[in-house]
């Protein structure tokens, strides 16, 4: 089968580890140009070193800040445009809701909800020019609200609603919107809820398995 999006420009947030790194490897195998975004330059470079493309751009930026998003917009302009935006960066929180402090609450909602919405908004002109696609990485926790994952589930329910609304709103402009809902994944973030995996009967997939299925979508 011919790859319909070969040599597209793909931007992945949270690309320094986990699902983001696996998505980058999968995109590279499909022959795409990559812009890798994350807060730490070291892990981003580690991801880039795994890829076959020497033209991969690594950008250390915090999507939760206006300055970080401005740097991303500038990088996309320098790259010549954007075909696919993958909003993958996010935080995982677990534990009883009674134990959630204001700082943790604000940080997770800012990272998991406000930042990807704002970044999508700011990159829409580039995506419209090339009839591109927005991919929001959600979670099965955004379809089923799990106990002890109240804050995280709330953020993913929000992203699912945003994705559905944006899909309808942007369709006339030729921009596609895909919402991915993987189940628990074996990443560093999973260490935060390791004690709940057994008691809750959770099954964890590898980032590579998630990325392969995601790219089919």
């Amino acid at each position: 089968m011919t790859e319909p999006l070969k040599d597209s420009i793909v931007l992945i947030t949270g690309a320094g580890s986990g699902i983001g790194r696996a998505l980058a490897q999968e995109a590279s195998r499909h022959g795409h140009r990559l812009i890798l975004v994350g807060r730490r330059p070291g892990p981003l470079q580690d991801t880039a070193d795994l890829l076959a493309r020497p033209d991969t751009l690594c950008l250390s930026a915090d999507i939760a800040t206006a300055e970080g998003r401005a740097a991303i917009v500038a990088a996309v302009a320098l790259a010549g445009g954007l075909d696919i935006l993958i909003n993958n960066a996010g935080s995982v929180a677990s534990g009883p809701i009674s134990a959630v402090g204001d700082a943790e609450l604000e940080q997770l909602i800012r990272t998991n909800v406000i930042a990807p919405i704002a970044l999508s908004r700011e990159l829409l002109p580039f995506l419209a020019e090339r009839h591109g696609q927005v991919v929001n990485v959600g979670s099965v926790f955004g379809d089923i609200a799990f106990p002890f994952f109240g804050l995280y589930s709330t953020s993913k329910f929000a992203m699912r609603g945003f994705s559905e609304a944006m899909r309808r709103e942007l369709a006339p402009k030729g921009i596609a919107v895909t919402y991915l809902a993987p189940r628990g994944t074996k990443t560093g973030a999973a260490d935060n809820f390791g004690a709940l995996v057994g008691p809750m009967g959770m099954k964890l997939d590898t980032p590579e398995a998630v990325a392969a299925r995601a790219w089919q979508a």
Side-chain angles (χ1 to χ4, degrees), residues 12-21 36-48 57-63 88-90 187-189 191:
I12 304 173
T13 66
S17 62
I19 293 175
R21 175 172 290 176
L36 307 180
V37 177
R39 289 180 297 177
R40 297 176 297 158
L44 286 179
Q45 189 57 53
D46 290 342
T47 298
L57 173 63
C58 294
L59 176 63
S60 178
D62 185 353
I63 63 169
N88 167 73
T187 66
D191 295 340

Side-chain angles (χ1 to χ4, degrees), residues 48-212:
D49 290 343
L50 297 172
L51 309 180
R53 297 201 60 132
D55 55 356
T56 297
L57 173 63
C58 294
L59 176 63
S60 178
D62 185 353
I63 63 169
T65 67
E67 294 80 8
R69 294 191 297 272
I72 293 170
V73 170
V76 168
L78 185 63
L82 184 64
D83 295 283
I84 303 174
L85 165 64
I86 303 181
N87 286 312
N88 167 73
S91 297
V92 179
S94 62
I97 195 68
S98 59
V100 176
D102 286 352
E104 182 181 16
L105 171 62
E106 292 175 4
Q107 183 274 331
L108 188 138
I109 295 301
R110 186 183 305 114
T111 301
N112 288 14
V113 182
I114 297 174
I117 291 175
L119 184 61
S120 298
R121 175 196 66 200
E122 291 165 22
L123 293 176
L124 282 181
F126 298 99
L127 294 166
E129 286 180 2
R130 301 172 75 130
H131 300 292
Q133 181 176 14
V134 177
V135 180
N136 293 322
V137 179
S139 169
V140 69
F141 285 27
D143 296 281
I144 304 171
F146 279 63
F148 303 107
F149 289 91
L151 180 55
Y152 182 69
S153 287
T154 296
S155 72
K156 293 306 181 181
F157 266 83
M159 283 308 296
R160 180 162 65 91
F162 173 66
S163 299
E164 291 178 4
M166 190 165 61
R167 182 182 300 121
R168 294 183 174 96
E169 181 176 331
L170 299 181
K173 297 182 180 181
I175 301 174
V177 178
T178 300
Y179 175 77
L180 304 176
R183 60 184 180 180
T185 309
K186 297 175 184 176
T187 66
D191 295 340
N192 297 331
F193 57 86
L196 297 173
V197 172
M200 296 182 69
M202 298 172 64
K203 294 183 179 179
L204 303 182
D205 294 315
T206 66
E208 292 75 19
V210 172

